[in-house]
Amino acid sequence: MMMKNNNVTIHDISKALGIDSSTVSRALNNSPRVSQKTKDKITSKANEMGYQRNSLASKLRTNKTHSIGVIVPRISRHFFSSVIAGIEETAFDAGYDVIICQSLESFEREKKLMETLTSNRVDGILISISMETTTFNHFEEYQKQGFPILFFDRPCALADSTNIIIDDYKISFEATEHLIQQRCQNIVHFSGPKELELYQKRTNGYKAALVKYGIPVREEYILESHLMQEDGIALAKKTLELPEVDGVFSGNDTAAISAMQYLKEKGIQIPKDIAFVGFSNEPISAVMEPSLTTIKQPDFEMGKIASTLLFEQIKNKTNHTENQTKILEPELVIRNSSRK
């Protein structure tokens, strides 16, 4: 098999065939200005000589790299890896490369990644913003350069933005209602940073369920953190300091699982003493003991929808779509951690 030779140029093929280099270039780009017979002759010689197209030069000429950037908080989270799988499947079919980055929940790292992707001239960006992100100038600057940016999972309050999200309020109401129907009356909520709209909606759904069933809303029962593994342990300790807690609705599975493990070590029986509901359906939630009731998000579908919309914006040369928001429906998956 002939090995590709990056040193072979169009001018080398032109010289070997005695054909003008401009004709060789047109033939290799399948121009209708060149006859099929000549195209076949030039293509055959190019393959024989091991010619390989300089795709970077071609992309620079067209000002399109056929690549997109994806920024997620953490690739290790099952939800985000599944979203990425949906993005990559759609991108592959559309002929796009995907550059994947993780902010690690850092605002400064997120800004730096935006600069890096911009300098690499990606055609568009998909992003789930970090927990520290409360200002959006770095996104506005990208838009001003004429490139589309689309937000998923964590909505962004940026003017003229496109957001693909789930109904966090509704599903959080259902999760809390489920605990109430399991005879829980003193329910703690593990919340993420309240500056993020996503966690505001989850907290509001929790509160609305309490109000519906005549249960007092106690702010001291709403515990805020970044919902990491170590946060779950700290939240479990705070939970034990509160009177008569019999249920926990956690803003993610990670904090819920570490909290459950800590409480079990302290002799707390789950769900008999404290019932638990998590959020995001991490794979471990189904196999731990007891299995964790949680919320399944349409992650793969979200990735496909988000990337499809981004490619439409790239094709139509628009960098926004008038505050377009698409809401997907999640599902409450009931398991043993909440069955009293």
Side-chain angles (χ1 to χ4, degrees):
M1 182 179 292
M2 175 67 69
M3 296 295 292
K4 297 294 184 182
N5 186 346
N6 291 331
N7 295 322
V8 175
T9 68
I10 286 174
H11 298 290
D12 296 327
I13 300 170
S14 169
K15 184 177 180 180
L17 292 174
I19 297 176
D20 187 82
S21 59
S22 61
T23 302
V24 174
S25 177
R26 292 191 190 100
L28 294 174
N29 284 287
N30 200 28
S31 170
R33 296 172 60 184
V34 182
S35 70
Q36 190 59 50
K37 181 179 179 180
T38 303
K39 284 181 186 178
D40 292 343
K41 182 178 180 180
I42 292 171
T43 301
S44 176
K45 177 57 72 173
N47 290 335
E48 176 188 325
M49 298 177 68
Y51 170 75
Q52 187 173 26
R53 290 187 64 187
N54 187 334
S55 60
L56 177 59
S58 176
K59 289 173 180 178
L60 291 175
R61 284 195 301 271
T62 60
N63 203 31
K64 291 287 183 183
T65 62
H66 280 87
S67 64
I68 61 170
V70 178
I71 303 176
V72 296
R74 292 185 184 275
I75 297 172
S76 60
R77 293 287 169 84
H78 175 71
F79 169 76
F80 289 116
S81 63
S82 295
V83 172
I84 289 169
I87 292 170
E88 287 197 309
E89 180 174 296
T90 307
F92 182 83
D93 292 340
Y96 277 78
D97 297 323
V98 181
I99 302 173
I100 301 167
C101 313
Q102 52 181 346
S103 67
L104 303 179
E105 302 289 11
S106 164
F107 174 64
E108 291 301 323
R109 184 180 174 98
E110 181 180 276
K111 287 200 301 181
K112 180 63 178 176
L113 290 172
M114 286 294 298
E115 293 173 5
T116 300
L117 291 172
T118 302
S119 65
N120 278 277
R121 304 178 69 170
V122 295
D123 295 338
I125 291 177
L126 296 169
I127 182 169
S128 182
I129 62 177
S130 81
M131 284 190 180
E132 295 181 355
T133 301
T134 56
T135 60
F136 313 116
N137 292 342
H138 52 311
F139 302 140
E140 291 175 330
E141 287 300 317
Y142 184 76
Q143 283 185 332
K144 287 176 183 178
Q145 295 181 47
F147 297 101
I149 182 169
L150 189 147
F151 303 91
F152 65 90
D153 182 47
R154 300 176 182 178
C156 177
L158 180 67
D160 301 329
S161 62
T162 303
N163 293 273
I164 311 299
I165 60 175
I166 66 166
D167 195 333
D168 284 289
Y169 175 89
K170 179 182 176 184
I171 197 64
S172 297
F173 178 96
E174 291 177 8
T176 309
E177 183 177 55
H178 166 68
L179 287 170
I180 295 169
Q181 290 171 346
Q182 298 299 307
R183 300 183 301 281
C184 296
Q185 291 291 305
N186 300 291
I187 302 169
V188 166
H189 175 44
F190 294 172
S191 172
K194 294 174 184 175
E195 292 81 11
L196 284 183
E197 184 179 335
L198 170 141
Y199 293 113
Q200 292 172 15
K201 290 179 177 179
R202 292 181 187 177
T203 299
N204 289 339
Y206 155 83
K207 289 180 176 179
L210 297 181
V211 170
K212 177 183 176 180
Y213 288 88
I215 300 173
V217 175
R218 290 165 285 188
E219 292 298 328
E220 65 270 24
Y221 278 59
I222 302 173
L223 307 178
E224 182 181 351
S225 75
H226 278 68
L227 300 176
M228 301 292 289
Q229 182 177 355
E230 59 271 22
D231 294 317
I233 296 171
L235 294 171
K237 292 177 180 178
K238 291 181 180 178
T239 297
L240 290 177
E241 296 172 358
L242 295 169
E244 301 180 336
V245 173
D246 53 12
V248 171
F249 167 45
S250 177
N252 74 6
D253 282 357
T254 302
I257 290 168
S258 59
M260 286 171 62
Q261 291 172 331
Y262 177 84
L263 292 173
K264 284 166 62 179
E265 291 172 1
K266 297 300 179 182
I268 304 297
Q269 297 181 63
I270 298 169
K272 181 181 177 181
D273 298 329
I274 302 178
F276 265 81
V277 176
F279 206 116
S280 70
N281 198 32
E282 292 288 331
I284 192 175
S285 65
V287 298
M288 64 181 295
E289 181 57 42
S291 56
L292 177 62
T293 294
T294 186
I295 291 157
K296 180 181 179 182
Q297 299 163 275
D299 38 30
F300 186 81
E301 179 188 5
M302 181 177 286
K304 289 181 70 68
I305 291 172
S307 49
T308 297
L309 285 176
L310 183 68
F311 294 140
E312 287 178 3
Q313 292 184 11
I314 292 171
K315 181 180 179 181
N316 297 330
K317 297 181 179 179
T318 58
N319 60 5
H320 63 267
T321 310
E322 298 293 329
N323 291 313
Q324 178 180 352
T325 298
K326 186 171 183 62
I327 301 175
L328 308 181
E329 291 297 327
E331 172 190 356
L332 179 64
V333 180
I334 298 173
R335 299 193 181 111
N336 293 333
S337 70
S338 64
R339 290 191 179 110
K340 290 211 172 190

